[in-house]
Amino acid sequence: MFLGIFAGVDPVKAEAGLNVNADGAIMVDGETGRVLYQKNADSPLGIASMTKMMTEYLLLDSVKHGKVKWDQEYTVSDLVYKISQPTGLSNVPLRLGEKYNVRELYEAMAIYSANGTTIALAEVIGGSETNFVKMMNDKAKKLGLKNSKFVNSTGLNNKDYNGEQPQGTGAEEENVMSPRDVATLAYHLINDYPDVLKTASTPKKVFREGTDDRIVMQNWNWMLPSLVYGYQGMDGLKTGTTDFAGYCFTGTASRDGKRFITVVQNAKDVSGKNDGYKARFGETKKMLDYAFSNFTKETLVPKHYQVKGQKTVPVIKGKEDQVKIYTKSAINMIIQNGGKQDYKPVLVLDKNKLNKNGELTAPIKKGEKIGYLTVSPKNGEKVSFLTSEGGQKVKVDVIAVNGVEKSNWFVLMMRGIGNFFGDVWHGISTAVKGWF
């Protein structure tokens, strides 16, 4: 029943107030992944360096599980050296045979979108970029990314590898993802590894301070508050640009307890000046302004809420014949301003705990889960989430307010006798009525 309520694909109808100029776009609540706006959300499109979010995810996952350490050293390979040298690509120049630690490689990737350091991390994690690409695609499946394909770790067009692209991939191929998949990856990244935002929100950092290789890395996310397109609350996440993908950006901002994630792919500048940087940040600002102005976080169901007419459940074989139930916690959700009254509570009791007559059987412990409660729009529309886990955040346990002990054998026996004679008497009275 829960899946039936929340499995729909129609977002809140923000389309009426938004017209995002991009080939694909999506906007979601950063806490639950509720979809608030979408445009061509399931079309595979170029992503360029937004690819690096998957590399970041696999790195942070490897660190978490002890497979990689931040102070672990890496020696620059021939491929990494070659990719890190061209000034036409986003890079910090790396020296052949030089040692670099994982943390500084990560910071160069996350802040400056450095391609050489990204391949270096792919080699650290996967042994080779070819193997790492397989890991990327495997992780995409596990995360439920249905319209994605990775051919390298960086987001470059494979032609930039000059024939040394990962094995099994075409010389002209490039990574693709749908806006929904990009948002889903970003949602997992910031919720599974929230520390990523500390690095992603760094506006400027010096690489290899005190050495001849010193380079100032300015974050390509120009919407960070101190940069040229500064936006209040912006703290991530990743830009991307290639001829194939156009100007792309996955942004996230937090204000007043609300966080939103936005994605634009091949953003268009309607001014006619062909300013792709202004386009991707301008369209992102348009979505975020709309979100912060038109959506609010509301408590739709308070803690210890009881559904009218369903405040108790009948109990058999207990010292009491019913038990009070209420919600263990509150349900909070991002909704349109003034829309709180548009939702209704939906109580679902655990069928495995009920007999055919809808009764619980004693004993029942205080706080025992009896079912769950969620909310549903009164107009019948469905609420869409990026993931099933996100949908679970608007579903709370319904528990027993108090315990009900099981009656002793003598009471149960006497009840049984009483019920037997009650049934007999009912049968006799019914027959008598039938005679007369």
Side-chain angles (χ1 to χ4, degrees):
M1 187 171 182
F2 178 77
L3 292 175
I5 294 169
F6 290 100
V9 296
D10 293 331
V12 175
K13 299 195 179 303
E15 287 86 347
L18 279 172
N19 180 23
V20 177
N21 298 299
D23 285 354
I26 195 168
M27 176 173 67
V28 304
D29 168 33
E31 182 179 354
T32 65
R34 182 183 181 184
V35 179
L36 307 175
Y37 170 86
Q38 60 182 341
K39 177 180 180 180
N40 296 330
D42 295 304
S43 300
L45 301 167
I47 54 172
S49 282
M50 293 196 302
T51 295
K52 294 181 174 75
M53 290 191 294
M54 178 60 86
T55 304
E56 290 170 355
Y57 190 94
L58 288 171
L59 171 62
L60 295 171
D61 190 60
S62 295
V63 171
K64 176 183 178 180
H65 292 96
K67 298 177 181 178
V68 173
K69 298 184 182 299
W70 287 119
D71 60 356
Q72 182 175 330
E73 290 190 329
Y74 163 83
T75 303
V76 174
S77 66
D78 289 343
L79 173 61
V80 168
Y81 171 74
K82 291 175 184 177
I83 293 294
S84 73
Q85 300 310 304
T87 57
L89 304 177
S90 184
N91 265 317
V92 292
L94 302 175
R95 293 181 181 271
L96 184 63
E98 183 76 15
K99 293 183 182 297
Y100 299 83
N101 67 50
V102 167
R103 186 175 292 280
E104 62 184 335
L105 295 172
Y106 165 64
E107 290 174 343
M109 173 181 68
I111 297 170
Y112 204 50
S113 200
N115 291 295
T117 65
T118 303
I119 300 174
L121 290 169
E123 293 180 354
V124 169
I125 300 165
S128 68
E129 190 178 15
T130 294
N131 189 53
F132 185 77
V133 168
K134 181 179 182 302
M135 294 171 66
M136 296 173 80
N137 286 302
D138 288 345
K139 180 59 71 174
K141 291 180 181 178
K142 290 181 180 178
L143 295 178
L145 311 185
K146 298 178 181 179
N147 295 291
S148 299
K149 181 183 178 182
F150 295 100
V151 298
N152 61 51
S153 64
T154 60
L156 293 171
N157 190 293
N158 268 352
K159 66 184 178 185
D160 292 315
Y161 282 71
N162 296 314
E164 295 187 66
Q165 73 272 7
Q167 296 174 18
T169 66
E172 297 291 329
E173 283 192 278
E174 191 165 320
N175 301 327
V176 295
M177 298 178 75
S178 69
R180 191 185 309 279
D181 283 0
V182 176
T184 302
L185 175 57
Y187 172 81
H188 280 292
L189 183 58
I190 67 174
N191 283 284
D192 294 352
Y193 301 106
D195 281 352
V196 70
L197 294 175
K198 294 180 181 179
T199 306
S201 62
T202 303
K204 184 187 297 185
K205 192 173 182 69
V206 177
F207 181 77
R208 289 260 143 165
E209 181 73 270
T211 73
D212 292 339
D213 296 329
R214 180 184 186 276
I215 183 171
V216 177
M217 304 183 296
Q218 180 172 292
N219 203 312
W220 289 105
N221 177 4
W222 293 354
M223 289 187 77
L224 292 176
S226 63
L227 302 183
V228 61
Y229 291 109
Y231 190 86
Q232 181 187 351
M234 174 67 65
D235 54 3
L237 194 55
K238 193 69 195 73
T239 58
T241 312
T242 62
D243 291 340
F244 172 75
Y247 288 85
C248 306
F249 181 45
T250 300
T252 183
S254 177
R255 293 184 196 167
D256 303 322
K258 297 181 289 186
R259 175 175 291 281
F260 299 102
I261 298 170
T262 60
V263 177
V264 290
Q265 290 172 258
N266 195 19
K268 310 294 179 61
D269 181 16
V270 294
S271 70
K273 296 181 180 179
N274 198 29
D275 186 345
Y277 289 94
K278 182 179 179 180
R280 68 180 170 198
F281 298 132
E283 295 308 296
T284 296
K285 181 180 184 298
K286 182 190 296 184
M287 285 195 284
L288 288 173
D289 282 349
Y290 186 93
F292 283 114
S293 297
N294 290 276
F295 293 92
T296 185
K297 188 174 182 179
E298 291 277 5
T299 299
L300 299 183
V301 174
K303 182 179 180 180
H304 294 171
Y305 175 78
Q306 292 182 295
V307 178
K308 186 177 180 180
Q310 295 179 293
K311 296 181 179 182
T312 63
V313 178
V315 176
I316 61 170
K317 297 185 179 180
K319 291 184 177 181
E320 299 174 36
D321 61 2
Q322 61 182 10
V323 63
K324 291 181 180 179
I325 58 173
Y326 58 28
T327 57
K328 184 177 181 180
S329 55
I331 293 180
N332 302 303
M333 189 167 73
I334 290 289
I335 61 172
Q336 287 181 305
N337 294 344
K340 186 174 181 179
Q341 71 281 359
D342 296 331
Y343 294 84
K344 62 182 179 181
V346 179
L347 174 65
V348 181
L349 298 177
D350 187 346
K351 293 181 179 179
N352 293 323
K353 295 196 173 204
L354 302 175
N355 63 20
K356 63 181 180 180
N357 296 319
E359 300 165 318
L360 295 167
T361 302
I364 299 167
K365 295 180 181 179
K366 179 180 179 180
E368 182 178 338
K369 182 179 176 181
I370 307 300
Y372 68 84
L373 186 135
T374 186
V375 291
S376 175
K378 292 178 181 178
N379 62 8
E381 290 185 359
K382 295 178 180 179
V383 181
S384 174
F385 294 90
L386 292 174
T387 68
S388 58
E389 293 85 358
Q392 294 293 320
K393 292 183 179 180
V394 292
K395 170 183 171 183
V396 294
D397 289 348
V398 170
I399 61 174
V401 175
N402 51 275
V404 177
E405 295 181 18
K406 185 176 181 179
S407 293
N408 61 48
W409 67 270
F410 180 76
V411 172
L412 291 176
M413 181 182 70
M414 295 306 295
R415 284 182 186 172
I417 293 172
N419 289 336
F420 171 77
F421 283 108
D423 290 341
V424 171
W425 175 249
H426 176 73
I428 293 172
S429 62
T430 301
V432 170
K433 288 178 182 178
W435 293 338
F436 298 96

